[in-house]
Amino acid sequence: MHCFAVVVVRHPRTKRWLAVQETSKHNRLWWLPAGRVETGETFPAAAVRETREEAGIDIRLIGILRVEHTPLGPQSDRMRIVFYAEPMDADAPLKTTADDESLGAVWTTVSELEAWNAAGQLRGKELLNWALYLEQGGEVAPLATLGAESSGPEPHDTLHMEFRVFFQPSKPNYRYTTIPLAPVEARTDVYIVHSAGVGIKHRGGNRLEIKVRTVDAGDGWEAWTKHRCDDADVNAALARLDLASLPAHPRDVRVQKRRVATVIGGLYLLEESDVVVSIDGDHALWKTICIEGTRRECESAAEALVHVSLRHELVFRGGYPAFVRDVVQRRATSQPGCVDN
């Protein structure tokens, strides 16, 4: 079967449509991001990848416009899924340098698309027709319509969860999103190392916050509950929650957090923070980015985040409790490396 992902991308502020200029193979005509789904790749992953390659931006898939299946003969079929999407960063620059994937990309309007169509500058009318359909209030099916073969939806598919990545930036002052947070939020937390699924923070005086992982989906998505208590005896607080006691000599880790961006999308919340981890006078700078929402609706955003984070150093995927524990363990063994919890 020949499988293709096609993407209709609309800018959330300007309401313009993303058009890609094809290479000489397609006579330098304008079209939309699209391409073949590679072996072992999902349709959503292909949609994100093709848009990045042809337009130079990361996108968040919003929904599905159409699933198309065309029999081509006794031994061949063609299947296409048309996605609706928005840019992850509304201010991200589009591709301007030509390569084998495309000559570049622009944001355009329906009237401009109509003019291009009249002048024979469109490869096909798909982008124009979909833009007209959506501007007239056309329906968009949820992303959850598409999924791997299974026995039905899992209980946590629609649960509000978080997907968090830590990495050490390869460049100073690196920013994942250009959308500023004003004012910047900053605080310092002191973590008591417990386990990957339990985080304990001092909140001043005898106040504690205990964060417990309730769902680990196994693909980076987790759900947590928070418990705040006034208790000088940490083990007593843990016992009330039926959690294991602290080890004999627990480590305290100072974590300075500086939240620099918050992006609220239609289906998710994205937060970006600079993090300084201090252990026995040693300091290490990290970046953490968290996506919060339902796993099935935010998979493309998570895939884009993983793709970007792997360009940097010492990537860690998981929540703060596991991250803090891992930093302590790595320091004790002096074993640098890439960790994916």
Side-chain angles (χ1 to χ4, degrees):
M1 177 179 287
H2 306 287
C3 297
F4 298 87
V6 181
V7 196
V8 179
V9 186
R10 194 178 195 185
H11 197 284
R13 289 202 307 265
T14 67
K15 305 305 180 184
R16 288 174 169 258
W17 303 94
L18 181 63
V20 171
Q21 188 173 22
E22 301 278 285
T23 63
S24 56
K25 178 181 178 181
H26 295 289
N27 300 316
R28 300 174 178 265
L29 299 176
W30 292 94
W31 205 40
L32 35 60
R36 186 183 294 272
V37 179
E38 297 178 353
T39 302
E41 188 177 39
T42 64
F43 277 92
V48 172
R49 175 183 55 77
E50 288 289 346
T51 306
R52 183 186 304 119
E53 291 174 351
E54 297 183 0
I57 60 171
D58 289 313
I59 57 170
R60 176 178 67 88
L61 299 181
I62 296 174
I64 296 172
L65 293 170
R66 179 178 287 176
V67 177
E68 302 171 338
H69 175 248
T70 306
L72 300 178
Q75 296 182 332
S76 181
D77 295 272
R78 175 184 172 93
M79 182 173 179
R80 301 196 325 164
I81 296 182
V82 184
F83 293 93
Y84 181 42
E86 291 181 349
M88 283 286 292
D89 182 350
D91 297 314
L94 294 176
K95 177 179 178 179
T96 57
T97 302
D99 58 21
D100 292 339
E101 300 292 339
S102 71
L103 301 182
V106 297
W107 294 109
T108 188
T109 63
V110 165
S111 60
E112 290 171 337
L113 288 170
E114 289 174 332
W116 289 352
N117 183 55
Q121 294 178 319
L122 292 182
R123 176 180 167 184
K125 293 182 64 176
E126 278 188 277
L127 178 55
L128 173 58
N129 288 342
W130 281 120
L132 288 168
Y133 169 82
L134 290 165
E135 289 193 3
Q136 293 168 4
E139 293 185 0
V140 180
L143 282 177
T145 304
L146 178 67
E149 184 176 339
S150 69
S151 57
E154 296 294 335
H156 53 252
D157 280 350
T158 56
L159 182 68
H160 189 90
M161 304 176 76
E162 70 174 46
F163 183 94
R164 183 179 293 276
V165 170
F166 293 85
F167 57 89
Q168 292 190 320
S170 57
K171 296 180 180 179
N173 302 318
Y174 168 80
R175 289 289 302 277
Y176 180 69
T177 175
T178 59
I179 301 175
L181 178 68
V184 170
E185 299 177 8
R187 73 172 190 265
T188 299
D189 291 329
V190 178
Y191 283 83
I192 306 172
V193 178
H194 183 279
S195 63
V198 177
I200 306 170
K201 291 192 296 187
H202 292 292
R203 301 196 65 86
N206 291 334
R207 293 182 302 156
L208 297 172
E209 178 181 285
I210 301 177
K211 189 175 181 180
V212 182
R213 185 170 59 195
T214 56
V215 175
D216 181 359
D219 56 0
W221 286 95
E222 302 171 325
W224 299 81
T225 58
K226 293 181 180 179
H227 307 269
R228 294 190 177 183
C229 52
D230 297 325
D231 205 320
D233 187 343
V234 178
N235 283 327
L238 291 170
R240 283 199 299 274
L241 296 171
D242 293 325
L243 298 172
S245 299
L246 288 170
H249 302 287
R251 295 294 305 270
D252 285 1
V253 179
R254 189 179 183 86
V255 180
Q256 294 175 280
K257 304 175 183 178
R258 183 173 178 270
R259 186 179 300 168
V260 296
T262 300
V263 181
I264 301 176
L267 299 169
Y268 73 101
L269 169 71
L270 183 148
E271 292 183 344
E272 175 181 355
S273 300
D274 297 327
V275 176
V276 177
V277 181
S278 302
I279 304 175
D280 299 334
D282 291 337
H283 310 287
L285 174 64
W286 292 77
K287 172 77 69 175
T288 182
I289 303 170
C290 178
I291 296 170
E292 295 184 20
T294 62
R295 185 183 65 165
R296 295 191 68 176
E297 297 288 5
C298 302
E299 279 183 329
S300 64
E303 289 174 357
L305 175 55
V306 171
H307 176 83
V308 170
S309 66
L310 290 175
R311 302 174 189 168
H312 301 273
E313 304 293 329
L314 294 178
V315 180
F316 182 91
R317 190 187 308 180
Y320 268 102
F323 166 70
V324 170
R325 187 189 68 163
D326 181 78
V327 170
V328 170
Q329 291 177 342
R330 186 185 298 120
R331 184 178 183 277
T333 58
S334 298
Q335 293 180 348
C338 181
V339 180
D340 188 4
N341 186 54

